[in-house]
């Protein structure tokens, strides 16, 4: 038994030695050429330098780590044609869905990164190994980092919460800027989207201009980069892929909040819907599901209603941005100085100003028991005393608006649902301006003690993010948003006239006028 083990050991040693000789013949040849002296060969051996591997903060030689780190170089970044670090990182297979500059519905012009779909607040973003100031929500806006100053990006696609904390559960992204730079460089980028074969023409113009200058020596270096980016908008209606709410869905994929309106009303048992409208009866209710024949009528009557059809859904998609506009100006300055062989001073300052905008289709009004427009948690109702109410009774969707109550009192109908798209209010427009400033400075070095080398660093970091909503042409922060309390006042509470101060005070609320929600909006004539 022992003899067999020895035989196997010798065999494995011979095989390993042969494999080594075959794998590196060039290395042996080079060793023999200069000299056969073994000491001289040892002196020629290269000394591997220490680096800090992203996700560990422990300096080691670059051949020791098995961390799953992906490197994106500056050349690869330029090849994408993208003007934001965030947009570049979102092209990675390991990156989940996160908000970016082009996100129109709910976006703020910021660009975040989300590794492995664990949320952007669980992805740590570093700049040269140091934390970047995040916003209030805890995510870092990558638009504040000028793309021209980036040397490469390291993406650790593994959790590092044990080293960095809970914001690194999904992974770590370390953006490394150019350190030693000599000379000056200017770049200009201009691009547009070609939609001639996809429902549109040239649009979404992109411009990016940057200038970088720097100088470095044996002990010091300084770098400055200025960057300007301007992204023009693209409308969703200009592309086949986005001109309908569902690709190829047709009219039925649109919204029940149409320009002509959808009126779904419960009426007392034994009564009928207006002429030309199907009366739907079942064990629990009697309802009318209607739309307008001639929308835009200022004095609607019961004869102006017909059955609601799938083709009446509203296609809101063309009224939205597909690519949102933004404008960014960035300034980046960094420097370092070696005070000694084992002591270095580093500093950087970064400034970014961004103006962005999102545009959505006019806000739909969804009233009634199944609607989403409420006042103090209660569904919005319509008074029977509203001069534009063709039904002549209160339309209520609250707890008192049951079919049995309305049938007993014969003074109300149940407002199950009402969808109305007030195009006369215009699109919903959101404007933002974000200004950010960061500064940090510190010292790092090493010393020998107890037979080992110890690394240390100390620094100061300051960051300030200031965001504001810009006023639009109407003088407000946003436009096209409905004040539901004002809407309820203009429609009238049950039993009260529109704009009435209260049930006991018949005076008129200042600045309030009755609202005609039944007239609809005529897309052909633009009348509402």
């Amino acid at each position: 038994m022992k003899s067999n083990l020895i035989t196997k050991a010798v065999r494995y040693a011979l095989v390993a030695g042969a494999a080594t000789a075959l794998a590196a013949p060039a290395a042996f040849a080079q060793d023999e050429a200069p000299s056969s002296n073994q000491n001289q060969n040892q002196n020629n051996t290269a000394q591997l330098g220490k680096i800090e591997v992203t996700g560990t903060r422990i300096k080691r030689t670059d051949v020791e780590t098995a961390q799953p780190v992906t490197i994106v170089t500056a050349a690869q970044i330029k090849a994408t044609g993208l003007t934001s670090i965030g947009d570049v990182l979102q092209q990675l297979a390991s990156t989940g869905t996160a908000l970016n500059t082009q996100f129109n519905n709910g976006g703020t012009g910021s660009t975040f990164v989300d590794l492995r779909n664990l949320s952007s607040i669980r992805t740590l973003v570093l700049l040269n190994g140091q934390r970047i100031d995040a916003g209030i929500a805890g995510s870092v806006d990558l638009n504040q980092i000028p793309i021209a100053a980036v040397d490469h990006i390291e993406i650790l696609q593994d959790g590092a919460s044990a080293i960095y904390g809970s914001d690194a559960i999904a992974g770590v992204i370390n953006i490394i800027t150019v350190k030693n730079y000599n000379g000056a460089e200017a770049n200009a980028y201009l691009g547009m989207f070609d939609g001639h074969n996809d429902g549109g023409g040239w649009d979404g113009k992109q411009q990016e201009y940057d200038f970088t200058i720097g100088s470095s020596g044996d002990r010091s270096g300084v770098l400055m980069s200025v960057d300007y980016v301007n992204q023009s908008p693209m409308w969703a209606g200009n592309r086949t892929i986005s001109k309908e709410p569902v690709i190829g869905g047709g009219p039925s994929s649109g919204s029940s909040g149409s320009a002509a309106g959808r009126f779904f009303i419960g009426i007392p048992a034994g009564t009928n819907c207006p002429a030309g409208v199907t009366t739907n009866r079942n064990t629990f209710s009697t309802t009318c599901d209607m739309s307008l024949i001639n929308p835009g009528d200022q004095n609607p009557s019961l004869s102006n209603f017909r059955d609601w059809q799938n083709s009446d859904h509203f296609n809101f998609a063309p009224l939205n941005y597909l690519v949102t506009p933004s404008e960014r100006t960035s300034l980046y300055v960094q420097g370092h100085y070696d005070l000694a062989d084992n002591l270095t001073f580093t500093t950087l300052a970064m400034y970014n100003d961004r103006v962005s905008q999102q545009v959505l289709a006019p806000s739909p009004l969804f009233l009634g028991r199944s609607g989403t427009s409420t006042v103090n948690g209660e569904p919005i109702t319509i008074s029977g005393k509203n001069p534009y109410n063709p039904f002549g009774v209160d339309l209520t969707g609250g707890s008192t608006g049951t079919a049995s109550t309305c049938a007993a009192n014969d003074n109300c109908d149940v407002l199950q649902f009402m969808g109305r798209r007030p195009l006369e209010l215009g699109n919903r427009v959101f404007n933002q301006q974000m200004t950010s400033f960061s500064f940090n400075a510190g010292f790092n070095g090493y010393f020998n003690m107890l037979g080992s080398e110890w690394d240390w660093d100390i620094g100061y970091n300051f960051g300030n993010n200031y965001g504001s909503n810009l006023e639009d042409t109407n003088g407000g922060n946003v436009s096209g948003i409905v004040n539901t309390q004002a809407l309820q006042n203009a429609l009238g509470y049950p039993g009260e006239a529109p704009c009435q101060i209260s049930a006991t005070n018949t005076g008129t609320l200042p600045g309030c006028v009755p609202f005609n929600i039944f007239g609809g909006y005529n897309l052909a004539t633009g009348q509402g």
Side-chain angles (χ1 to χ4, degrees):
M1 184 68 177
K2 185 178 298 184
S3 175
N4 290 337
L5 292 176
I6 296 174
T7 302
K8 290 182 179 180
V10 172
R11 184 183 304 139
Y12 291 154
L14 291 175
V15 172
T20 304
L22 291 174
F28 286 111
Q30 289 179 353
D31 287 343
E32 293 172 3
S35 173
S36 59
N37 189 304
Q38 183 177 1
N39 293 331
Q40 184 174 347
N41 289 339
Q42 292 176 350
N43 293 334
N44 292 335
T45 301
Q47 180 69 34
L48 292 174
K50 292 184 299 180
I51 63 170
E52 182 177 324
V53 179
T54 298
T56 66
R57 293 189 62 81
I58 300 173
K59 292 182 173 63
R60 61 183 70 181
T61 57
D62 58 355
V63 298
E64 291 179 0
T65 181
Q67 293 285 343
V69 177
T70 300
I71 307 295
V72 180
T73 65
Q76 292 172 324
I77 294 173
K78 290 183 178 180
T80 64
L82 298 172
T83 58
S84 167
I85 291 296
D87 292 339
V88 172
L89 293 175
Q90 289 191 0
Q91 306 300 310
L92 298 174
S94 59
T95 303
T97 302
L99 295 183
N100 62 14
T101 306
Q102 300 177 6
F103 197 82
N104 189 45
N105 192 353
T108 60
S110 302
T111 299
F112 305 131
V113 64
D114 175 9
L115 291 177
R116 299 154 60 198
N117 287 305
L118 293 177
S119 170
S120 58
I121 64 174
R122 298 297 181 225
T123 301
L124 177 62
V125 179
L126 306 174
L127 181 62
N128 295 326
Q130 302 294 324
R131 291 177 180 268
I132 304 177
D133 298 293
I136 296 176
S139 301
V140 174
D141 180 11
L142 295 172
N143 287 332
Q144 62 182 305
I145 303 172
I147 202 167
V150 176
D151 180 74
H152 68 278
I153 305 173
E154 300 175 354
I155 303 99
L156 174 68
Q157 303 174 47
D158 195 9
S161 57
I163 302 297
Y164 293 103
S166 62
D167 54 352
I169 289 176
V172 182
I173 293 176
N174 191 10
I175 301 171
I176 310 297
T177 58
V178 179
K179 183 178 181 181
N180 295 314
Y181 186 91
N182 285 290
E185 179 182 359
N187 295 284
Y189 171 82
L190 177 64
M192 295 184 72
F193 294 98
D194 180 8
H196 286 87
N197 296 322
D198 192 28
W202 294 100
D203 54 7
K205 181 180 180 181
Q206 296 179 343
Q207 302 177 73
E208 196 265 339
Y209 308 96
D210 63 71
F211 175 73
T212 304
I213 186 171
S215 178
S216 62
D218 294 337
R219 302 179 63 88
S220 62
V222 63
L223 170 76
M224 182 184 74
S225 180
V226 181
D227 190 57
Y228 173 79
V229 177
N230 191 321
Q231 171 69 66
S232 299
M234 178 197 299
W235 289 96
N238 290 346
R239 295 295 183 274
T240 302
I241 195 174
S242 57
K243 68 180 182 180
E244 294 176 343
V246 178
I247 303 174
S252 62
S253 64
S255 169
S256 292
S258 66
R262 183 178 187 178
F263 309 92
F264 193 69
I265 296 174
I267 59 177
T271 60
N272 295 311
C273 297
V277 177
T278 302
T279 302
N280 302 301
R281 303 184 190 277
N282 57 46
T283 305
F284 305 100
S285 63
T286 302
T287 58
C288 312
D289 192 1
M290 308 170 289
S291 186
L292 292 172
I293 300 173
N294 298 307
D297 189 350
Q298 297 303 309
N299 295 291
S301 62
L302 292 178
S303 62
N304 196 27
F305 289 92
R306 60 169 174 79
D307 282 333
W308 167 265
Q309 303 169 8
N310 274 338
S311 59
D312 291 331
H313 284 83
F314 179 71
N315 181 12
F316 56 86
L319 302 178
N320 294 268
Y321 279 150
L322 179 60
V323 175
T324 61
S326 64
E327 185 177 17
R328 304 194 306 269
T329 303
S330 304
L331 174 64
Y332 179 86
V333 180
Q334 72 173 29
H336 73 275
Y337 185 78
D338 294 334
L339 299 172
D341 292 339
N342 61 345
L343 178 61
T344 301
F345 170 76
T346 61
T347 183
L348 71 82
M350 184 168 56
Y351 170 84
N352 180 270
D353 180 79
R354 187 192 77 242
V355 177
S356 54
Q357 183 185 76
Q358 298 82 44
V359 170
L360 299 173
S363 179
L365 303 177
F366 292 135
L367 281 58
R369 181 177 295 177
S370 301
T372 56
S373 301
T374 62
V375 175
N376 298 323
E378 290 294 325
I380 293 178
T381 59
I382 304 174
S383 171
K385 296 182 179 180
N386 188 312
Y388 304 106
N389 184 350
F391 297 92
V393 296
D394 293 337
L395 300 178
T396 176
S399 57
T400 59
T402 61
S404 58
T405 301
C406 289
N409 299 327
D410 198 26
N411 63 352
C412 69
D413 287 341
V414 179
L415 184 61
Q416 298 281 11
F417 174 81
M418 177 182 291
R420 164 80 157 85
R421 182 86 54 164
L423 271 70
E424 54 267 50
L425 293 181
N427 284 14
R428 287 167 284 175
V429 181
F430 307 86
N431 300 281
Q432 309 89 27
Q433 181 173 16
M434 174 65 73
T435 301
S436 60
F437 173 75
S438 298
F439 170 80
N440 69 60
F443 296 90
N444 63 80
Y446 66 91
F447 60 89
N448 294 304
M449 186 175 68
L450 302 178
S452 299
E453 187 175 284
W454 301 74
D455 295 281
W456 63 271
D457 62 76
I458 185 172
Y460 168 81
N461 184 59
F462 170 82
N464 181 57
N465 295 311
Y466 175 79
S468 63
N469 288 326
L470 302 180
E471 290 190 352
D472 62 14
T473 54
N474 296 323
N477 289 333
V478 295
S479 64
I481 304 299
V482 175
N483 183 320
T484 56
Q485 180 63 69
L487 174 64
Q488 177 64 86
N489 294 336
L491 294 175
Y493 284 91
E496 300 179 15
C499 301
Q500 185 173 322
I501 293 179
S502 67
T504 57
N505 187 341
T506 58
T508 302
L509 291 168
C512 179
V513 294
F515 176 49
N516 178 13
I517 198 172
F518 295 96
Y521 184 90
N522 193 309
L523 294 172
T525 64
Q527 183 180 6

